Amino acid sequence: MNKTLLSLHHLSKEFDGKTVLDSLDLEIYDGEFITLLGPSGCGKTTLLRLMAGFEQPDAGTITLSGVDLTHTPPERRPLNTVFQHYALFPHMSVFDNVAYGLKMEKRPKDEIRQRVREALAMVQLEDYANRRPHQLSGGQQQRVAIARAVVKRPKVLLLDEPLSALDYKLRRTMQVELKRLQRELGITFVFVTHDQEEALSMSDRVVVLKDGRIQQLGTPREVYERPANLFTARFVGETNFFPGTVTAVGENELRVDVLGLARTLRKPTFAVAEGQRLHVLLRPEDIRVLDPADADGLPGKIVERNYKGSTLDSVIHLADGTEVLASEFFDEDDPAFDYRLGEPVKVSWVDGWEWLLPEEVDPTPAEDRTVEA
Amino acid sequence: MTRWLSRAYLASVYLLLYLPIVVLVVFSFNDSRTGYAWGGLSLRWYQSLFNNHAMVQAMWNSLWLALSAATVSTLIGALTALALHRYRFRGKKVLNGMLFVVMMSPEIVLAISLLALFLLVGIQLGYVSLLLAHVTFCLPFVVITVMARLSGFDERLPEAARDLGASDFTMTRTVLIPVIMPALMAGWLLGFTLSLDDVVVSTFVSGPSYEILPLRIYSMVRVGLKPEVNAVGTLLLVFSLVMLMLSQWILTRSKR
């Protein structure tokens, strides 16, 4: 599995003097599902377009199985693209759309017919071969776009936010379907998205991008549970940040003062010294909401409760004004579970479930932290 | 009351617009020679029209001129629109603006300047000078029609074609041109119509070797209204109606 297929080396790209990609290195393995995740303007689409050959890098190289592709035009790269808004040829039938790539290869007619039929069967659109793209729904057009790209049996399939134009439910279905296709075809998928949920649920590996640089590269679990920096922690999922100060450094653990609460936490991989300030990160599902009489925890009061079906999400204001998000699974046997708005509570967590990051200059002010829908 | 007034107003507008045309059509079938009194139904003016050799020749000349002018201006106009749409180059804004200058400037100015140019360069007034002149004034209309279509064109389509293995040339042939085809046809029809009924520019740049229909009609009515003119007018009306319906049909059929 870990055989490098596509290798990007020191890729840089500027548009009108603005750096979009900054000397980026990335190895993409054969047969993996890798996702480029980041907010708009992070360079993920540019990176994909460089791989497809629609843009030329200002510096750096792109190699596929050791062959330099950097200056090969798109029509001669064994990679195919699924575009965000499908880009189906409006004047051709579904069949002709899918057959287009094979006609360009000058394949015999019988082979084209056979392979197009197979590709359409794979996306369950056999009966739509004679329709025009505009007669299909968004989801069906998406499937045609996928069939059109995979019918050429590319080494790598590039997908540029292919699901962003679909509604939530259809997006879910297509996510499962794309995963299935990827498993069946054994093709490497490079998937671009700004939807962190999509990235986590589909990928083998996730590349978190910001300002043309890789912030983190890892499995969905690593990215979610062990974010490399504040940006990743904030962009991938909801996170609570508590300020901490190291009071003592032990063999395997730290004594940390969190808003007046003395906790013993696991020693992080980065170097720590006594008196150093830290970020203590906790996901909403790791937060425990306790009775105010409880000895443990930080006092606060409930300001919002959202019933989400399987979970109950709360917003708690601590005494110093910090906002804490908590997401609890239902436990009907717990009498203390159902707090009312304005009720005083205490907030705590199980030591060892937290994740520590060294203090860094916060690049984004709190009000800019909105994640795109 | 206001409802009644607005209806009457609308009716009078349409009456003013279409009554003369109706009169023209009706009187083209009039047997009377005077042209103002009804003398019974007849096709004699159509007959005399087609027996008039100079008239038929002028019709053919006009048709041929309109065909060639529309075709040439569509070819040049489509390439110009593509260049303006796809590339960024020096003087792009100037080129774009100059198209509008040709379109907006009074026809008489264009006519005089073209005549001066032809005399200066030494082009004999006739088919060639007419063609050049007609292509000149048709061009901006074609460019604007094609540009309008291109502005709604999905930029990803050419990329998708390239991605699937088409060279730039093959992409243009198999994707770009078919997609903008309705605009090309509409531009062509527009050019054809403009060329067919042009009088002002043609008066200046035509020569005795190549007489065209609008000028022929004009010289006919100068000495008095002949009933043949009604017949020519009716034929032109039917012809332009057919062309109009054709262009509408093409446009609606291509609409997604």
Side-chain angles (χ1 to χ4, degrees):
Chain A
M1 167 104 185
N2 288 4
K3 204 177 117 238
T4 298
L5 181 67
L6 194 65
S7 169
L8 313 178
H9 186 63
H10 286 332
L11 277 188
S12 292
K13 181 74 185 172
E14 276 188 13
F15 284 120
D16 302 322
K18 192 180 166 285
T19 306
V20 181
L21 289 178
D22 191 3
S23 192
L24 187 137
D25 289 292
L26 181 62
E27 304 271 293
I28 293 169
Y29 303 142
D30 196 5
E32 78 171 328
F33 194 122
I34 189 165
T35 298
L36 309 178
L37 174 69
S40 55
C42 72
K44 56 192 192 300
T45 295
T46 304
L47 191 57
L48 200 79
R49 291 174 60 80
L50 284 174
M51 293 185 214
F54 302 138
E55 309 278 356
Q56 291 284 308
D58 297 332
T61 54
I62 299 169
T63 50
L64 183 86
S65 320
V67 183
D68 190 344
L69 280 186
T70 318
H71 300 292
T72 311
E75 62 265 32
R76 279 191 266 133
R77 297 187 185 203
L79 294 82
N80 287 115
T81 309
V82 177
F83 292 87
Q84 185 172 9
H85 298 289
Y86 326 133
L88 298 178
F89 305 128
H91 58 294
M92 294 182 196
S93 67
V94 167
F95 181 94
D96 287 335
N97 263 283
V98 179
Y100 191 86
L102 298 175
K103 281 181 187 156
M104 291 301 126
E105 288 177 13
K106 305 218 160 38
R107 299 273 171 191
K109 273 218 163 86
D110 291 338
E111 186 191 334
I112 293 180
R113 206 168 311 126
Q114 176 67 21
R115 278 172 68 175
V116 170
R117 205 175 300 141
E118 280 170 19
L120 284 177
M122 201 169 56
V123 294
Q124 288 132 35
L125 283 177
E126 305 97 309
D127 303 334
Y128 295 82
N130 296 320
R131 300 269 185 105
R132 290 289 176 109
H134 69 268
Q135 294 170 310
L136 303 180
S137 70
Q140 288 168 334
Q141 291 185 34
Q142 184 57 266
R143 286 161 202 256
V144 177
I146 292 165
R148 185 177 69 172
V150 300
V151 78
K152 296 208 25 145
R153 296 173 191 156
K155 295 250 170 58
V156 181
L157 190 68
L158 307 171
L159 302 107
D160 184 10
E161 309 213 16
L163 309 181
S164 64
L166 304 178
D167 64 55
Y168 182 78
K169 237 182 140 179
L170 198 54
R171 208 153 74 213
R172 289 268 124 174
T173 323
M174 285 304 289
Q175 284 173 9
V176 175
E177 195 138 321
L178 274 176
K179 271 306 274 183
R180 172 183 68 83
L181 270 176
Q182 196 252 343
R183 266 196 312 270
E184 280 174 14
L185 295 165
I187 298 176
T188 305
F189 274 35
V190 182
F191 188 90
V192 162
T193 184
H194 60 247
D195 181 342
Q196 43 96 11
E197 221 179 302
E198 199 167 273
L200 294 181
S201 65
M202 297 174 78
S203 326
D204 296 320
R205 288 196 304 160
V206 178
V207 183
V208 183
L209 279 169
K210 188 196 153 217
D211 300 335
R213 288 165 183 269
I214 294 182
Q215 303 293 313
Q216 190 167 4
L217 170 57
T219 63
R221 202 170 173 156
E222 279 164 2
V223 170
Y224 187 77
E225 292 184 358
R226 299 197 285 282
N229 53 32
L230 282 184
F231 173 78
T232 309
R234 222 163 245 162
F235 191 73
V236 183
E238 303 270 14
T239 309
N240 295 303
F241 296 85
F242 295 102
T245 310
V246 181
T247 54
V249 181
E251 185 78 12
N252 291 313
E253 70 286 313
L254 295 175
R255 295 288 295 169
V256 179
D257 175 83
V258 183
L259 296 171
L261 206 65
R263 306 296 293 247
T264 306
L265 307 178
R266 215 169 11 160
K267 202 172 169 181
T269 46
F270 57 89
V272 277
E274 226 181 276
Q276 190 185 333
R277 293 169 64 78
L278 294 170
H279 288 289
V280 179
L281 275 59
L282 282 152
R283 296 292 182 185
E285 60 271 24
D286 295 335
I287 296 282
R288 292 278 162 275
V289 183
L290 304 172
D291 195 83
D294 214 287
D296 195 26
L298 302 162
K301 67 172 199 250
I302 305 251
V303 294
E304 221 179 293
R305 298 224 96 181
N306 278 319
Y307 175 74
K308 286 273 179 69
S310 55
T311 60
L312 188 62
D313 293 357
S314 320
V315 179
I316 297 142
H317 268 188
L318 297 188
D320 70 334
T322 314
E323 213 168 68
V324 177
L325 302 173
S327 179
E328 301 164 279
F329 283 95
F330 275 114
D331 184 358
E332 281 167 18
D333 298 332
D334 186 353
F337 183 76
D338 204 11
Y339 298 102
R340 285 186 312 277
L341 280 184
E343 206 176 317
V345 289
K346 275 193 168 176
V347 164
S348 185
W349 66 90
V350 177
D351 285 344
W353 288 10
E354 78 291 330
W355 180 246
L356 297 177
L357 283 177
E359 186 168 59
E360 54 185 284
V361 184
D362 198 339
T364 44
E367 59 268 25
D368 286 357
R369 270 186 234 148
T370 42
V371 177
E372 293 166 79
Chain B
M1 185 62 187
T2 43
R3 198 183 154 93
W4 187 84
L5 261 178
S6 71
R7 276 190 185 170
Y9 174 71
L10 196 69
S12 62
V13 166
Y14 273 89
L15 203 68
L16 274 171
L17 275 175
Y18 289 106
L19 192 66
I21 298 179
V22 173
V23 169
L24 178 129
V25 173
V26 169
F27 275 81
S28 76
F29 297 104
N30 186 5
D31 197 28
S32 160
R33 189 158 246 302
T34 55
Y36 301 108
W38 184 251
L41 207 64
S42 153
L43 285 175
R44 62 183 282 200
W45 303 119
Y46 289 90
Q47 199 182 4
S48 92
L49 191 67
F50 286 105
N51 285 334
N52 183 341
H53 177 72
M55 194 74 179
V56 173
Q57 185 60 46
M59 265 195 237
W60 282 121
N61 283 351
S62 260
L63 207 61
W64 174 242
L65 177 66
L67 276 172
S68 48
T71 308
V72 173
S73 53
T74 302
L75 286 176
I76 302 175
L79 292 175
T80 312
L82 276 178
L84 286 172
H85 178 76
R86 269 179 85 169
Y87 304 110
R88 273 199 263 177
F89 52 88
R90 273 173 77 95
K92 177 174 167 169
K93 281 217 171 103
V94 178
L95 189 65
N96 209 349
M98 268 159 60
L99 284 169
F100 281 93
V101 170
V102 172
M103 205 162 79
M104 305 301 258
S105 65
E107 236 185 315
I108 191 88
V109 176
L110 186 70
I112 295 168
S113 58
L114 280 170
L115 178 63
L117 176 77
F118 294 151
L119 292 178
L120 198 70
V121 180
I123 295 175
Q124 266 230 305
L125 296 184
Y127 172 69
V128 177
S129 63
L130 276 168
L131 178 66
L132 289 173
H134 282 211
V135 167
T136 307
F137 69 70
C138 289
L139 199 59
F141 294 94
V142 176
V143 175
I144 283 158
T145 315
V146 177
M147 289 249 281
R149 176 79 183 186
L150 282 173
S151 71
F153 181 72
D154 183 358
E155 288 309 317
R156 299 285 172 259
L157 287 183
E159 285 181 355
R162 297 291 298 276
D163 189 66
L164 293 166
S167 64
D168 205 28
F169 177 75
T170 313
M171 181 279 292
T172 307
R173 189 171 55 81
T174 55
V175 175
L176 190 58
I177 291 177
V179 171
I180 63 168
M181 195 42 118
L184 293 181
M185 285 176 159
W188 188 90
L189 279 170
L190 201 59
F192 185 85
T193 324
L194 284 171
S195 165
L196 198 64
D197 76 348
D198 177 74
V199 175
V200 180
V201 175
S202 305
T203 314
F204 281 76
V205 299
S206 73
S209 62
Y210 202 82
E211 200 186 19
I212 56 172
L213 192 63
L215 298 186
R216 174 87 203 167
I217 296 173
Y218 186 61
S219 65
M220 272 166 73
V221 294
R222 262 201 302 204
V223 291
L225 206 61
K226 286 186 186 165
E228 281 112 322
V229 174
N230 289 338
V232 177
T234 307
L235 286 178
L236 279 174
L237 182 73
V238 170
F239 184 72
S240 40
L241 274 179
V242 169
M243 295 292 265
L244 185 75
M245 287 193 288
L246 197 68
S247 67
Q248 285 301 314
W249 180 69
I250 291 168
L251 280 177
T252 48
R253 202 185 55 145
S254 70
K255 257 200 199 112
R256 298 200 263 148

